[in-house]
Amino acid sequence: MEKTPNGSDKPAVTIKKASLKSSILRGSLFALAFIVFAYGFKVTRVSFEQINSPDRQASLTRVLRAIAKPEILEYEKIEKIVELGVYVPCQAGARIPEPASPGEPYLVMTPACANPRSAITLEGFNFEPFSSGPAFFIPSSEVKLKLGDFESGADGRFKIETKLPPRPDEAMQTIQAVTRINTGAPYFTQTARQTWGKIIETVFLALLATVFGIILAVPVSFFAAQNLMREITAPMSSLALAVLGWPVGMYAGAVIAGWIRTLSERLTGNPLLTLAGLGAALLLIWFLGRWAFPSEEEEKRPSLAMRLSRMAATVVVAVAAIFFLYMLASIAIVAGELLEERLGSLDFLGAFVSSLGEILHLLVVLIAALAGGAAFSGLLARLGTLLYRSLPKAWIFVANVILGAAAGAMVAGLLAAGLNWLYEFNNYTRVFTSSLLVGAALGILVAVLTRKRDAIPVGIVVYTITRTILNVLRAIEALIWVIIFVVWVGIGPFAGVLALTLHTIAALGKLYSEQVESILPGPLEAVKATGATRLQTIMYAVIPQIVPPYISFTIYRWDINVRMSTIIGFAGGGGIGFLLFQNINLLNYRAASAQMFAIAVVVALMDYFSAWLRNKVV
Amino acid sequence: MLQVRNLTKIYDGGVLALDDVSFDAPDGQFLAVIGLSGSGKSTLLRCLNRLIEPTAGQVLWNDVDITNLSEEEMRWVRRKIGMVFQHFNLVHRSSVLTNVLAGRLGYVNPTWSLLNRFPKHDIEKAMQQLNRVGIADKAAQRADELSGGQQQRVGIARALMQDPQMILADEPVASLDPVLAHSIMQYLELINKEDGVTVLCSLHFLDLVHRYANRVIALNEGKLVFDGAPQEIDDQRFKEIYGKDAERVG
């Protein structure tokens, strides 16, 4: 490239002279490109010998011809057999029977008799036009020896050159021409029916993975958006208490959920009692909830006593909600099983309801733990802010150091527990004391390094961690994830759903968060200025702005998932890929072709559908 | 009563946007803030409701130092301070009504509002405010379908939903033509006179200042260089505010 100044006052002539330096540069760039491509040819073993080799070309032709005839439709076939008596070698005085009646197909061998292994010409007359099939030589052992394939012309005649087999016999032997004629309506092959079943599985695999992926990717994307997370900061005391509060609150939430579960299991034996419990819990949640969360806040901040009693009411509501969820789950399980027995061919609906119940039953503990963690850590964080604002400076420093050490030790201890599980150190005292000490030291370091007014950028820390996890998850393809999930849940479409879901979360989380980062900041500022909370700001200023790009990216991901789900079966993830892989390995190219055809049709249809949807929605 | 004491803001890059600014604004005043672009007008207004965190100094509002409040307490202050923006800052894809209702977010319960549920009387109130600024018929339209002047009226209606004691207007008419500018300024004047709402309004044109403000403060490179009645700005003062090379147009 010429590096001539592009000023308008310079005449264009100066551009023509390339300096020696730029010539050398260009020359070496060319040499470099030459070397790069030469090495690339070597590494990827580009070979024109292979392309031109007749053997390879013959196999390619065979495969392409097989693929061109996908095993989709079949006909009933009628076999028509035409026979000719021959003597091999010639017998004196032997007589060959005349062809039956004129108009019937018949065969003629020239010469009429010959020695074994001698060349002959076989001709056929009066065959169905354009019929084809094999011609056999049948010795007295009745083992068919193939002479060749024939194909009749428009006049119903054919002619093949071939050799007689080494089967000498004094008696008359037979040459047979067999034609197969399609009759009746075509019907789908076994392969086609299997392919249809698997393609349905594939489409639903993609659907479930996309839906689950979206549900989890949307909240994750907010944590991975820098513009939302940058503002979130907290003083050291508040942050340390919040960190300490999470595991304690989660543990408490899980324990409480366990108690409620035992309590609810006593009631679930009796359906009437279950319904009554469900209703009572619902009423309690509704009325107490209305009181604890009034629809409009008062003019003045409510008194401390009022706020505390509302908090207590919230706890009661939360407990009632856990109870309600357990009841709902057990009702769903029972009702689902009942439906499964009664519905006959629609029993999958019942199975779905009872699966939902079981999933809910499992999730309640998780929900309770998360709610407990969030509530307790939020409470402690407020306490931390209060400490930070009311304590004198020196005391804040002391509190920061103590809380920082405790929080650091807690995080390090949990990390050590995780590592211990993974690597099986089996030396608890050393692992835990050392990690607790290191964590505490780090916590103290952070506390000492932060001055009083400094707020710790919690949001950026969370953002960085989320981004890192998303990048790692995204870097590993779904086809590899499925191997891990196959170990966990077994070979089949469920493993594929889980693997695709995981990859969808990572990919969409990143794409979504970039959309959040590119929204207009003005509305955010305006909504914040009205006194809205952070969640309200997201709901009213962020979400309306990101709906169109989110829908657009979701459709794009749906496209990708449909295509991914067609090959995820290669690694055991269910769907049509499993069948395709099997047929390719069995060299059954006509069956594989049917599956490839199905994939092409489905992907094309989904593509049209998503284009239509995009036009409608965005 | 708003009292600003030694307010200083230094941005992360080291830019001194506000330099030891002090002034008082009694309730019910229409206070204009003038100065060149980049003189710190926007920063000043945003420091008053802490959309921007001041580096030093105090903002006393009704004798409470709001620079020292927690995020949660700050929400209760912000909901009494309406804000109007140069670029209107409406949520384009939301309806006009939803944009106006957003002004109630500080009052309604956070949990219910997340489900997009507002009390009935808030919706009635929103319609009244839209009626007041003369665009009640546009309530169901998307905000970005409105013209600039109409969008700014939605912005004013949103601020009015807060039952504000003070409105901060950050160059509310800078993106509008002169006729629309007067119409928007008249709404602000009306709110100031009828409802007794304090208005702090940054402006570019001196004729608007003369026409609407009872008092002017001027900023130059973050420093307060003038505080007085609009009539007191003579040619000498004008040069101090806008620099030696400036020419008067208004």
Side-chain angles (χ1 to χ4, degrees):
Chain A
M1 295 290 125
E2 283 99 342
K3 291 272 162 114
T4 14
N6 213 10
S8 52
D9 51 344
K10 294 252 175 185
V13 189
T14 52
I15 297 170
K16 278 194 174 172
K17 249 190 182 174
S19 70
L20 181 69
K21 206 176 127 191
S22 76
S23 305
I24 292 173
L25 189 72
R26 233 187 291 178
S28 41
L29 272 180
F30 183 77
L32 186 70
F34 185 80
I35 293 168
V36 165
F37 277 90
Y39 192 69
F41 266 50
K42 175 180 143 59
V43 171
T44 56
R45 293 185 216 155
V46 175
S47 158
F48 289 96
E49 243 170 70
Q50 296 285 1
I51 291 179
N52 286 328
S53 117
D55 284 358
R56 297 280 176 181
Q57 282 180 346
S59 338
L60 178 68
T61 316
R62 192 162 47 81
V63 171
L64 286 182
R65 284 188 182 151
I67 286 175
K69 282 182 259 177
E71 213 176 275
I72 297 174
L73 291 178
E74 256 176 5
Y75 293 88
E76 290 291 353
K77 286 194 165 73
I78 306 177
E79 260 188 2
K80 213 166 185 181
I81 299 174
V82 182
E83 290 187 334
L84 170 72
V86 288
Y87 286 98
V88 179
C90 290
Q91 301 288 328
R95 222 177 57 89
I96 301 166
E98 287 292 309
S101 50
E104 283 291 299
Y106 65 94
L107 295 169
V108 176
M109 187 172 90
T110 329
C113 62
N115 285 331
R117 294 179 205 273
S118 60
I120 52 136
T121 308
L122 185 69
E123 283 173 286
F125 299 94
N126 288 341
F127 278 73
E128 286 278 324
F130 306 112
S131 59
S132 63
F136 299 105
F137 183 87
I138 303 172
S140 49
S141 65
E142 296 201 350
V143 175
K144 287 184 174 179
L145 302 166
K146 194 165 172 182
L147 289 174
D149 286 309
F150 66 87
E151 196 172 338
S152 62
D155 51 0
R157 296 164 74 158
F158 71 83
K159 189 175 180 182
I160 51 173
E161 311 277 340
T162 182
K163 261 184 182 173
L164 288 175
R167 292 283 190 284
D169 201 331
E170 287 182 8
M172 190 173 74
Q173 301 184 76
T174 315
I175 286 180
Q176 199 178 57
V178 182
T179 55
R180 294 204 175 92
I181 298 163
N182 295 336
T183 60
Y187 61 92
F188 287 109
T189 57
Q190 176 70 18
T191 311
R193 271 173 284 157
Q194 268 178 356
T195 305
W196 172 252
K198 284 291 172 185
I199 205 82
I200 296 291
E201 188 180 299
T202 306
V203 170
F204 279 93
L205 195 161
L207 178 73
L208 288 191
T210 311
V211 171
F212 294 157
I214 298 165
I215 291 172
L216 291 165
V218 169
V220 166
S221 69
F222 293 122
F223 289 112
Q226 203 177 10
N227 56 341
L228 297 184
M229 299 304 282
R230 201 188 304 127
E231 292 177 6
I232 302 175
T233 56
M236 179 73 195
S237 52
S238 158
L239 171 66
L241 279 171
V243 167
L244 286 171
W246 262 105
V248 177
M250 282 182 80
Y251 181 73
V255 167
I256 291 172
W259 290 341
I260 299 170
R261 184 174 153 184
T262 345
L263 183 75
S264 71
E265 270 164 6
R266 287 198 193 147
L267 292 177
T268 47
N270 184 336
L272 219 64
L273 219 55
T274 312
L275 278 178
L278 205 67
L282 205 59
L283 284 177
L284 186 66
I285 291 169
W286 179 252
F287 284 107
L288 209 57
R290 288 305 289 243
W291 182 73
F293 301 99
S295 71
E296 189 131 349
E297 286 181 1
E298 295 80 357
E299 272 300 301
K300 290 233 167 61
R301 281 198 84 178
S303 65
L304 185 67
M306 189 64 179
R307 273 189 280 161
L308 282 179
S309 48
R310 284 215 173 121
M311 218 180 273
T314 311
V315 172
V316 175
V317 168
V319 167
I322 295 173
F323 180 74
F324 174 77
L325 289 178
Y326 270 124
M327 290 305 214
L328 195 66
S330 53
I331 284 185
I333 293 172
V334 173
E337 279 164 2
L338 216 67
L339 285 176
E340 209 176 341
E341 285 166 19
R342 303 276 165 85
L343 281 180
S345 66
L346 290 176
D347 60 350
F348 66 92
L349 291 175
F352 177 61
V353 170
S354 80
S355 304
L356 282 184
E358 269 162 36
I359 291 170
L360 185 61
H361 203 262
L362 284 177
L363 279 183
V364 176
V365 181
L366 193 68
I367 295 170
L370 283 178
F376 197 58
S377 100
L379 200 67
L380 285 190
R382 283 199 183 181
L383 186 70
T385 318
L386 200 71
L387 281 182
Y388 160 77
R389 276 149 37 83
S390 50
L391 284 180
K393 214 170 176 178
W395 282 104
I396 290 178
F397 182 74
V398 174
N400 278 357
V401 168
I402 295 172
L403 291 172
M410 164 85 91
V411 173
L414 288 176
L415 273 179
L419 290 178
N420 189 43
W421 173 79
L422 209 57
Y423 294 106
E424 303 174 278
F425 297 122
N426 293 330
N427 189 349
Y428 295 110
T429 32
R430 243 180 77 194
V431 169
F432 280 100
T433 33
S434 56
S435 61
L436 289 182
L437 283 179
V438 169
L442 285 177
I444 292 171
L445 192 69
V446 173
V448 171
L449 287 178
T450 46
R451 282 160 297 152
K452 188 194 173 252
R453 285 286 288 191
D454 272 357
I456 296 180
V458 193
I460 287 298
V461 173
V462 173
Y463 159 82
T464 313
I465 294 174
T466 316
R467 269 287 161 114
T468 312
I469 294 175
L470 287 186
N471 282 339
V472 170
L473 291 184
R474 204 164 44 90
I476 300 170
E477 270 294 341
L479 208 55
I480 299 162
W481 280 119
V482 80
I483 297 168
I484 295 171
F485 284 111
V486 160
V487 173
W488 189 12
V489 299
I491 289 179
F494 186 44
V497 168
L498 291 178
L500 265 185
T501 303
L502 192 65
H503 199 256
T504 304
I505 295 169
L508 276 186
K510 185 187 154 69
L511 290 176
Y512 283 171
S513 65
E514 274 159 13
Q515 290 310 306
V516 175
E517 284 175 357
S518 67
I519 59 171
L520 296 173
L524 229 73
E525 186 185 34
V527 170
K528 195 180 170 194
T530 65
T533 62
R534 202 181 299 281
L535 271 179
Q536 285 176 323
T537 312
I538 288 177
M539 187 70 201
Y540 283 87
V542 178
I543 289 179
Q545 294 196 58
I546 55 177
V547 166
Y550 269 41
I551 290 176
S552 166
F553 278 120
T554 305
I555 293 172
Y556 170 64
R557 187 66 210 180
W558 160 248
D559 275 5
I560 293 179
N561 279 352
V562 169
R563 268 178 285 133
M564 271 311 290
S565 62
T566 59
I567 59 158
I568 202 145
F570 278 41
I576 198 164
F578 181 65
L579 213 55
L580 181 58
F581 192 54
Q582 223 175 21
N583 282 325
I584 289 174
N585 281 347
L586 292 173
L587 307 184
N588 190 355
Y589 292 110
R590 285 195 59 207
S593 169
Q595 277 116 44
M596 292 197 267
F597 182 71
I599 289 173
V601 168
V602 164
V603 170
L605 280 180
M606 288 301 167
D607 204 57
Y608 289 128
F609 174 68
S610 59
W612 173 82
L613 197 68
R614 199 183 312 237
N615 274 337
K616 282 273 159 187
V617 185
V618 183
Chain B
M1 177 86 166
L2 177 76
Q3 296 159 295
V4 178
R5 296 278 172 270
N6 312 99
L7 199 64
T8 302
K9 171 68 190 178
I10 304 169
Y11 282 110
D12 283 343
V15 178
L16 182 65
L18 288 178
D19 187 0
D20 201 21
V21 173
S22 301
F23 65 92
D24 290 348
D27 287 343
Q29 199 164 51
F30 198 119
L31 178 71
V33 184
I34 59 172
L36 290 168
S37 298
S39 60
K41 302 190 295 290
S42 292
T43 307
L44 173 65
L45 291 178
R46 282 172 175 71
C47 280
L48 299 183
N49 62 358
R50 275 179 59 197
L51 284 181
I52 291 176
E53 234 22 87
T55 312
Q58 289 180 317
V59 177
L60 296 163
W61 197 50
N62 300 334
D63 301 320
V64 178
D65 180 8
I66 65 168
T67 55
N68 207 18
L69 295 182
S70 71
E71 217 15 58
E72 174 65 18
E73 288 164 327
M74 197 57 219
R75 283 201 325 110
W76 291 72
V77 173
R78 276 194 196 126
R79 66 183 207 180
K80 282 289 176 194
I81 304 178
M83 196 155 185
V84 179
F85 301 86
Q86 178 183 355
H87 298 295
F88 327 130
N89 288 358
L90 301 183
V91 182
H92 288 174
R93 285 177 48 85
S94 296
S95 71
V96 167
L97 186 67
T98 307
N99 268 291
V100 175
L101 279 169
R104 281 316 275 181
L105 286 176
Y107 290 87
V108 297
N109 186 290
T111 323
W112 293 115
S113 69
L114 289 185
L115 306 171
N116 214 347
R117 279 183 55 124
F118 283 90
K120 216 175 204 167
H121 56 92
D122 277 348
I123 296 169
E124 282 162 15
K125 191 182 168 84
M127 288 309 294
Q128 279 167 21
Q129 302 302 348
L130 280 174
N131 218 3
R132 194 169 172 190
V133 293
I135 45 170
D137 54 324
K138 310 273 186 204
Q141 281 188 31
R142 261 173 64 154
D144 57 357
E145 288 169 359
L146 269 55
S147 68
Q150 289 169 334
Q151 289 197 26
Q152 192 59 296
R153 286 191 261 173
V154 177
I156 291 176
R158 174 171 66 190
L160 285 176
M161 285 298 282
Q162 292 174 243
D163 293 327
Q165 289 174 19
M166 175 164 75
I167 286 184
L168 307 172
D170 183 20
E171 302 196 7
V173 297
S175 336
L176 301 173
D177 66 51
V179 180
L180 280 173
H182 276 290
S183 123
I184 293 296
M185 289 307 292
Q186 276 157 12
Y187 282 117
L188 288 177
E189 188 182 35
L190 198 72
I191 294 159
N192 174 250
K193 294 240 167 74
E194 276 188 1
D195 307 356
V197 174
T198 313
V199 176
L200 262 76
C201 180
S202 63
L203 286 170
H204 263 310
F205 290 105
L206 276 177
D207 61 338
L208 290 176
V209 175
H210 283 289
R211 164 80 177 72
Y212 297 100
N214 346 97
R215 185 168 146 225
V216 188
I217 58 172
L219 293 173
N220 191 342
E221 292 183 352
K223 285 194 184 60
L224 191 73
V225 291
F226 175 81
D227 182 350
Q231 301 77 19
E232 291 171 39
I233 302 180
D234 52 21
D235 289 353
Q236 177 59 33
R237 288 262 163 71
F238 179 81
K239 283 201 166 162
E240 282 170 26
I241 298 167
Y242 288 105
K244 285 189 203 105
D245 304 329
E247 281 177 38
R248 278 188 92 139
V249 286

